[in-house]
Amino acid sequence: MATAPKEEVKSTATAEDEREQIDGFHLIIDALKLNGVETIYGVPGIPITDFGRMAQAEGIRVIAFRHEQHAGNAAAIAGYLTKKPGICLTVSAPGFLNGLTALANATTNCFPMILISGSSEREIVDLQQGDYEEMDQLAIAKSLCKTAFRVLHAADIGIGVARAIRAAVSGRPGGVYLDLPAKLFGQVMDAEAGEKSLIKVIDPAPAQIPAPTAIERALESLKNAERPLVVLGKGAAYAQADDAIRTFIEKTGIPFLPMSMAKGILPDTHPQCAGAARSLVLKESDVVMLIGARLNWLLSQGKGKPWGGRKKFIQIDIEPKEMDSNVEIAAPLVGDIGSCVSALLDVLGSNWPAPPADWANAVKTKKDTNIARMAPRLANNNFPMDFHGALGVLRTVIKERPDAILINEGANTLDLARGIIDMYKPRKRLDVGTWGVMGIGMGFAIAAAVETGKPVLAIEGDSAFGFSGMEIETICRYNLPVCIVVFNNSGIYRGTDTNELSSDPAWTRFVSDSRYDRMMEAFGGVGIHAITPDELKSAVDTAMDSGKPTLINAAIDPAAGSESGRIGNLNPQSKLRKK
Ligand SMILES: Cc1ncc(C[n+]2csc(CCOP(=O)(O)OP(=O)(O)O)c2C)c(N)n1
Ligand SMILES: [Mg+2]
């Protein structure tokens, strides 16, 4: 029998040795894949460039951005849409810091995401000896997210990834930081032991069942109401308990008020929707049930003038600490929203008394009046175009395409669009959220398109767009079905401010008559300049039907906006300043 030449035997043995080993790169990829991660949003660089390549080679979709903040926002909204943590991948120090804003914003908004950052060597960082991009990232991240972990040994990768996933989605969802020092990627260990060390997270967001007594208490409070109201928050949308919530609202007959991102859980055109009678229902209601909505500044902390007087609050929230955060909660209902609403339905029975007719009529009358008053403004085809004329046509675009996802940021562009554009389906409106943060636009648009495959319409103030505008190259590169409409009023709030004292422009103003559409053309997308509502409508229709990356520069009258949109009252005022 012929024996193999010596050289060949040696190389086979080496190959076998290698097969039996696995490195950090692949353990991380395998841990993510084992837990159903399909997409990573990030920006390459040392020490993660090869990791991204390998993840791509192993079948994970890696969407590369131009700036980490937008990759982070994409991951956050992917988490919101899917109830699985969105993954953002960044390089050390500056890349990490760029991603951190999105991580903090995700945590504030209760979006599950994991920011994974490469980091420098512990030994050098801890002695502050000046490593490449040296920074104690773990310490910095801790205060800005739910929890933060670091993995130092390849054998702990499975645990680290599992803990990060569970922390992001269980209880109240939020951001998690996972620190992976450069050396970890290259560590090797026995392949079999490595694979065994990986953990598939079982039941990552366990149901939290409310106590029966809490259910009784809530229904008792609701039953005695004369002017009941349900407020739906984005927590209710996140819960994906759409059928149960709809059944509860319809069985009780109570008017409901959707917060911005809760629009569409039930259609805004539903007879019980009180969106167009917001001031009246906040002021006049006597018992208010909050479902996944917090009594933060967006609801005037549950007190003061907008609320008219003391209310009885019933609150459904997964986070016990949320109760009594601002005012007394008469009936706290702690649990996940799906379980809580189902438990309410079980006890509700089939003959729950409808709210007093006076109340339902008062809400309907107010709503009808407000809608009728608004109608002619939305139908105008003025030149120069104003917000109402432009939003009137975009309202029709969404009515005709209820499956499309609407992204919205700006001041006037946000506040007016929120009121004017009816939503018909859950989780179709994604916006600036709890902080009113500018810069979510393109990151959200990209993830919405990637995660759902549905057409996306991003309605952006010209200032708002500027925060993430460079990502239109990303949109073109991945050929995503995103239509961006820039409401170009040449400035922040308005384009008419003047600076009396110097030749510098007022600091709220931009270059007049800018052509944002031409930016899109630079990357091979479609750019359109629209100056009337009719032109805008036809351009958006074409874009939404074609699915081609499109940016429409909608020229809005620079004088049309108001200071800070609808929240100008939050600007501090000095008694010394003459009005
Ligand atoms: C990160 C961040 N920086 C600054 C702000 C303050 N801010 C609120 S709205 C806004 C821009 C408003 O202008 P634009 O988007 O053009 O909307 P318009 O009112 O003109 O329609 C800014 C800068 C913010 N909310 N978030
Ligand atoms: Mg503007």
Side-chain angles (χ1 to χ4, degrees):
M1 203 172 73
T3 47
K6 236 180 174 184
E7 267 309 304
E8 239 176 75
V9 172
K10 198 175 157 210
S11 72
T12 313
T14 312
E16 270 172 17
D17 282 350
E18 278 170 7
R19 263 207 306 279
E20 285 166 12
Q21 302 259 297
I22 188 163
D23 58 23
F25 288 106
H26 288 91
L27 280 169
I28 301 163
I29 292 165
D30 289 352
L32 292 172
K33 282 177 70 175
L34 183 65
N35 285 288
V37 171
E38 289 165 2
T39 309
I40 292 175
Y41 301 91
V43 176
I46 296 170
I48 55 161
T49 315
D50 274 345
F51 174 78
R53 290 192 183 109
M54 291 175 197
Q56 253 184 335
E58 297 286 336
I60 293 183
R61 194 161 189 211
V62 182
I63 306 285
F65 282 68
R66 305 299 291 260
H67 187 290
E68 291 86 352
Q69 186 176 126
H70 314 308
N73 284 326
I77 212 66
Y80 171 75
L81 290 169
T82 62
K83 295 184 92 174
K84 292 195 289 187
I87 309 289
C88 174
L89 180 64
T90 72
V91 302
S92 5
F96 157 77
L97 287 172
N98 284 345
L100 208 52
T101 307
L103 186 70
N105 188 57
T107 308
T108 298
N109 282 281
C110 318
F111 300 152
M113 76 171 275
I114 303 173
L115 175 66
I116 302 181
S117 282
S119 61
S120 327
E121 298 319 329
R122 292 304 325 151
E123 296 82 348
I124 307 179
V125 173
D126 290 347
L127 278 170
Q128 299 173 32
Q129 293 174 309
D131 201 3
Y132 171 69
E133 296 187 347
E134 174 183 301
M135 176 174 271
D136 191 354
Q137 295 169 197
L138 187 74
I140 290 165
K142 265 184 187 158
S143 63
L144 294 168
C145 59
K146 275 183 86 176
T147 185
F149 303 106
R150 175 186 294 131
V151 181
L152 290 174
H153 303 293
D156 292 332
I157 285 170
I159 295 279
V161 169
R163 296 207 72 190
I165 289 171
R166 193 180 286 285
V169 293
S170 59
R172 172 175 283 177
V176 172
Y177 176 61
L178 188 59
D179 192 86
L180 304 182
K183 258 192 221 162
L184 179 78
F185 293 92
Q187 272 183 34
V188 289
M189 66 180 289
D190 176 76
E192 208 185 315
E195 292 301 338
K196 276 196 188 139
S197 71
L198 302 184
I199 292 176
K200 183 169 166 53
V201 183
I202 309 296
D203 195 11
Q208 284 181 227
I209 314 290
T213 47
I215 293 290
E216 294 289 347
R217 194 191 296 121
L219 286 176
E220 202 52 42
S221 301
L222 208 55
K223 202 166 220 165
N224 294 323
E226 284 174 11
R227 296 178 306 284
L229 173 69
V230 170
V231 178
L232 298 172
K234 66 177 170 301
Y238 175 80
Q240 300 194 14
D242 311 326
D243 290 344
I245 291 171
R246 187 182 184 125
T247 308
F248 178 77
I249 300 272
E250 289 182 343
K251 273 196 167 177
T252 58
I254 299 173
F256 68 92
L257 181 68
M259 299 302 287
S260 196
M261 283 176 59
K263 280 162 69 80
I265 298 177
L266 288 88
D268 284 332
T269 48
H270 191 284
Q272 285 167 253
C273 180
R278 186 179 195 271
S279 312
L280 176 113
V281 292
L282 288 189
K283 199 169 261 164
E284 303 293 332
S285 54
D286 62 348
V287 178
V288 180
M289 175 180 262
L290 303 159
I291 307 185
R294 293 170 288 182
L295 284 177
N296 57 21
W297 71 279
L298 288 157
L299 284 171
S300 313
Q301 272 90 17
K303 55 199 170 191
K305 219 168 147 202
W307 287 95
R310 222 179 133 89
K311 313 274 156 175
K312 193 173 224 189
F313 283 107
I314 304 162
Q315 182 161 25
I316 305 184
D317 203 288
I318 199 160
E319 175 56 62
K321 284 203 301 264
E322 190 58 42
M323 306 299 159
D324 311 314
S325 57
N326 282 287
V327 293
E328 180 192 271
I329 301 300
L333 206 45
V334 175
D336 71 275
I337 286 165
S339 300
C340 288
V341 177
S342 300
L344 286 169
L345 279 173
D346 288 346
V347 182
L348 201 65
S350 53
N351 49 0
W352 183 267
D358 281 1
W359 175 234
N361 290 338
V363 177
K364 184 176 181 325
T365 307
K366 186 73 184 174
K367 218 173 102 170
D368 291 349
T369 313
N370 285 346
I371 291 172
R373 190 181 301 147
M374 188 63 99
R377 297 184 72 185
L378 300 180
N380 90 63
N381 192 33
N382 291 347
F383 171 79
M385 186 153 55
D386 60 26
F387 285 98
H388 289 84
L391 289 168
V393 296
L394 297 182
R395 178 180 191 250
T396 309
V397 167
I398 294 295
K399 186 176 180 183
E400 291 166 353
R401 294 171 188 77
D403 277 321
I405 297 189
L406 179 69
I407 313 290
N408 192 197
E409 61 177 335
N412 293 279
T413 305
L414 174 89
D415 292 347
L416 294 170
R418 181 199 298 120
I420 290 169
I421 300 181
D422 290 327
M423 303 307 297
Y424 300 87
K425 296 196 173 178
R427 296 170 294 283
K428 298 295 185 189
R429 186 187 155 84
L430 311 175
D431 66 28
V432 299
T434 313
W435 272 347
V437 64
M438 298 298 109
I440 49 88
M442 298 306 103
F444 278 16
I446 290 165
V450 166
E451 299 288 334
T452 71
K454 301 275 193 262
V456 175
L457 176 63
I459 304 180
E460 301 273 314
D462 50 345
S463 165
F465 172 69
F467 285 75
S468 65
M470 192 64 210
E471 301 298 344
I472 58 175
E473 189 274 331
T474 311
I475 291 170
C476 290
R477 188 167 10 111
Y478 291 94
N479 195 24
L480 298 172
V482 175
C483 171
I484 303 148
V485 178
V486 176
F487 273 44
N488 187 357
N489 61 352
S490 303
I492 296 175
Y493 315 139
R494 272 184 307 263
T496 50
D497 280 4
T498 50
N499 175 5
E500 308 291 335
L501 290 181
S502 87
S503 57
D504 281 349
W507 83 314
T508 53
R509 274 186 78 162
F510 298 144
V511 170
S512 295
D513 304 320
S514 299
R515 292 289 301 272
Y516 293 97
D517 48 315
R518 291 185 180 154
M519 289 173 64
M520 198 64 169
E521 288 173 349
F523 303 113
V526 179
I528 309 273
H529 180 53
I531 60 169
T532 64
D534 281 353
E535 282 182 18
L536 177 61
K537 173 81 164 64
S538 101
V540 179
D541 279 342
T542 307
M544 299 295 280
D545 293 343
S546 73
K548 284 188 193 151
T550 301
L551 190 153
I552 300 161
N553 183 60
I556 302 284
D557 183 353
S562 56
E563 181 89 3
S564 303
R566 289 256 169 102
I567 54 171
N569 59 312
L570 298 181
N571 285 306
Q573 296 291 336
S574 164
K575 280 187 189 141
L576 299 179
R577 223 178 99 189
K578 291 201 188 90
K579 283 265 168 181

